[in-house]
């Protein structure tokens, strides 16, 4: 028996810099529920952040901070060796910048989702996760993390800082048997076939499960589903995912 879960679509937005633009933000924004806006370290700049906030407001989309490592050359996809204090400070700095721009427009900042390598490192290293919840606790916001078959350790640690967690699944990424995402360095990390993506979405939303790349069935309960703005047919695919959620 299947049950449709109420799941919001989230997407990474504002990931250009200066004259360089990435993703079809204007076309995608009307079809999502939550915009993860880059905060300037891995991508984004003050003007682009401001315009992306405007776009989210025009489409009644929730605004989330999307902090990453200070690594524009690597698009935030490379891990950096930072102390716990440095890790906490770079996250507070980025969230604070986005929050200030939101407040200048009477917009509300609703949650935080780390980007790229910072997200992956947070999920594998409890010390980094502790730095994340420590930083996010300064803003009284939820932290978005990867849904897994065992979320209890993350919940226990977040509770110490009084930080709520939002659990996400990913539409077009494959999973390992331990519930983590397949590393980008492996050839099967991303699902490119649209029907395979839609089948994974159906399994997540109807059955609360996902099949790992090596065939294990994993139980996951997600509050939100991440969709990829860089897919060649992103708008059409997101619309098909939205229709399936209906």
């Amino acid at each position: 028996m299947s049950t449709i879960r109420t799941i919001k679509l989230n997407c990474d937005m504002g990931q250009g810099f200066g004259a360089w633009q990435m993703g079809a933000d204007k076309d995608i924004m009307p079809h999502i529920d939550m915009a993860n806006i880059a905060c300037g370290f891995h991508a984004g700049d003050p003007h682009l952040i401001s315009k992306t906030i405007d776009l989210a407001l025009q489409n009644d989309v929730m605004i989330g901070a999307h902090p990453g490592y200070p690594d524009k050359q690597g698009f935030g996809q490379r891990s950096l060796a930072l102390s716990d204090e440095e890790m906490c400070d770079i996250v507070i700095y980025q969230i604070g910048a986005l929050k200030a721009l939101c407040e200048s427009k009477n917009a509300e900042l609703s949650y935080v989702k780390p980007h790229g390598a910072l997200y992956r490192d947070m999920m594998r290293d409890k010390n980094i996760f502790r730095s994340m919840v420590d930083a996010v606790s300064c803003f009284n916001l939820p932290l978005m993390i990867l849904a897994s078959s065992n979320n209890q350790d993350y919940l226990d640690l977040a509770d110490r800082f009084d930080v709520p967690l939002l659990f996400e699944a990913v539409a077009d990424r494959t999973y390992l048997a331990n519930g983590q995402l397949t590393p980008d360095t492996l050839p099967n990390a991303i699902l490119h076939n649209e029907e395979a993506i839609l089948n994974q979405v159906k399994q997540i939303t109807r059955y609360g499960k996902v099949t790992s790349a090596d065939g294990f069935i994993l139980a996951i309960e997600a509050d939100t589903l991440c969709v990829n703005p860089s897919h060649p047919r992103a708008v059409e695919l997101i619309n098909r995912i939205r229709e399936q959620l209906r």
Side-chain angles (χ1 to χ4, degrees):
M1 180 177 178
S2 64
T3 302
I4 297 293
R5 293 174 52 79
T6 302
I7 294 181
K8 297 185 185 315
L9 296 184
N10 80 79
C11 191
D12 300 345
M13 298 271 106
Q15 298 204 103
F17 180 75
W20 291 270
Q21 300 299 312
M22 290 186 63
D25 287 10
K26 288 184 179 180
D27 296 324
I28 291 172
M29 192 73 82
H31 306 290
I32 61 173
D33 306 295
M34 308 169 77
N36 318 317
I37 301 180
C39 300
F41 272 25
H42 76 278
D45 59 66
H47 184 62
L48 178 57
I49 293 170
S50 178
K51 293 304 180 185
T52 308
I53 293 169
D54 289 340
L55 192 60
L57 289 172
Q58 291 163 16
N59 290 278
D60 196 26
V61 171
M62 295 171 64
I63 296 170
H66 197 43
Y69 284 122
D71 175 32
K72 278 194 171 73
Q73 290 90 340
F75 194 57
Q77 297 294 346
R78 300 180 294 191
S79 298
L80 299 181
L82 302 177
S83 69
D84 294 345
E85 292 81 7
E86 288 172 322
M87 193 76 70
C88 189
D89 287 344
I90 67 166
V91 174
I92 291 173
Y93 183 96
Q94 292 176 81
I95 299 171
L98 181 60
K99 181 177 173 62
L101 285 166
C102 283
E103 290 177 349
S104 75
K105 300 171 180 293
N106 294 317
E108 181 182 359
L109 184 59
S110 298
Y111 63 94
V112 177
K113 175 188 171 180
H115 167 80
L118 184 57
Y119 184 98
R120 295 191 298 273
D121 291 349
M122 168 187 75
M123 295 305 302
R124 67 169 180 79
D125 188 324
K126 291 299 192 296
N127 287 328
I128 295 176
F129 181 75
R130 184 182 295 105
S131 295
M132 291 301 103
V133 294
D134 189 5
V136 173
S137 69
C138 299
F139 299 92
N140 297 314
L141 294 171
L143 174 64
M144 189 183 295
I145 73 169
L146 185 68
S148 68
S149 55
N150 183 9
N151 298 316
Q152 197 57 52
D153 288 346
Y154 300 103
L155 286 165
D156 290 344
L157 189 49
D159 281 347
R160 297 182 200 170
F161 292 84
D162 198 24
V163 172
L165 297 181
L166 294 171
F167 294 101
E168 78 161 352
V170 184
D172 69 340
R173 291 291 301 273
T174 63
Y175 285 74
L176 299 174
N178 64 3
Q180 297 299 309
L181 297 178
T182 304
D184 293 346
T185 52
L186 297 182
N188 65 337
I190 298 176
L191 294 173
H192 297 284
N193 180 275
E194 291 187 18
E195 294 309 315
I197 294 170
L198 291 169
N199 286 336
Q200 178 155 294
V201 170
K202 178 178 179 180
Q203 189 180 25
I204 291 167
T205 57
R206 287 179 179 263
Y207 302 104
K209 298 177 181 178
V210 69
T211 303
S212 72
D214 45 3
F216 288 91
I217 304 296
L218 309 172
I220 58 171
E221 292 190 10
D223 303 302
T224 179
L225 183 73
C226 182
V227 291
N228 183 0
S230 301
H231 190 279
R233 287 171 25 93
V235 176
E236 294 86 348
L237 180 58
I238 290 169
N239 274 326
R240 292 186 70 186
I241 292 172
R242 169 69 72 191
E243 186 61 31
Q244 189 169 96
L245 293 182
R246 294 195 184 103

